[in-house]
Amino acid sequence: MTDDSAIGSHTSTVHARRRENPQQRIRQLMWRPVGGGRVAVVGRARNWLTRSLPRLVGLNARIQLGEDTELLLSELITNAVLYAGGVTTVRLRLTGTVLRLTVCDHATATPTARTATTDDEHGRGIALVTALAVRWGVERSRTIAGKCVWLELSTAATSAA
């Protein structure tokens, strides 16, 4: 049995907003980890994602969505722990067939892609984000010192031609 107070608070919200299609809904889940500056938060974030993603996207998402989201979440959380003083908030937002993953941290520095050699232990995170995400970016936090790195993934199953 897991003590949720030990791994962070869970806030789930469902919002309906009008877009071009008035029936389109925005669904969002948020996690605020306790101890977001420790490496152990990476595993706790993956556990949260494993429980949360199916509730958010349902059963019709593309097969690789869970694996891609878990990999990219791990990369963003690890970057936040190693280079940005730790994670403050993780959000998943679904709008139509677009899943947005956002990881907020304490630093204001924008992540930059590095070129990693085969012997390097670090330096591949942003390259993975660039390769797997439809798009990504950085926003400055409006409420606290820090930033939020976000990326978007398509949930749509691709059809074979």
Side-chain angles (χ1 to χ4, degrees):
M1 179 145 92
T2 304
D3 177 10
D4 283 345
S5 64
I7 61 172
S9 63
H10 303 275
T11 305
S12 300
T13 57
V14 177
H15 301 282
R17 294 186 185 153
R18 291 197 181 272
R19 297 264 188 219
E20 291 177 22
N21 176 355
Q23 301 302 317
Q24 190 175 58
R25 296 175 65 97
I26 296 174
R27 298 172 45 113
Q28 178 170 290
L29 298 172
M30 182 183 299
W31 181 56
R32 293 192 174 151
V34 173
R38 295 186 218 127
V39 174
V41 75
V42 177
R44 295 193 331 256
R46 285 193 305 257
N47 289 338
W48 174 79
L49 178 71
T50 300
R51 289 190 316 269
S52 301
L53 192 60
R55 285 189 334 196
L56 191 66
V57 300
L59 301 174
N60 295 326
R62 65 182 172 87
I63 294 169
Q64 301 87 1
L65 180 66
E67 292 173 2
D68 290 351
T69 308
E70 184 176 336
L71 173 64
L72 296 176
L73 173 70
S74 297
E75 291 297 334
L76 294 182
I77 297 274
T78 300
N79 283 352
V81 170
L82 294 178
Y83 308 114
V87 177
T88 59
T89 307
V90 177
R91 283 189 305 273
L92 291 172
R93 184 177 77 188
L94 181 66
T95 306
T97 60
V98 176
L99 177 68
R100 179 179 274 215
L101 167 64
T102 304
V103 174
C104 300
D105 60 43
H106 295 287
T108 57
T110 302
T112 56
R114 295 177 16 199
T115 303
T117 67
T118 55
D119 294 333
D120 289 336
E121 291 183 24
H122 303 286
R124 293 173 186 83
I126 297 302
L128 286 170
V129 169
T130 301
L132 295 175
V134 174
R135 63 189 195 125
W136 72 278
V138 179
E139 296 173 349
R140 301 285 175 234
S141 175
R142 293 180 209 122
T143 57
I144 60 169
K147 68 175 173 311
C148 297
V149 179
W150 59 267
L151 59 88
E152 292 179 348
L153 297 165
S154 173
T155 64
T158 56
S159 59

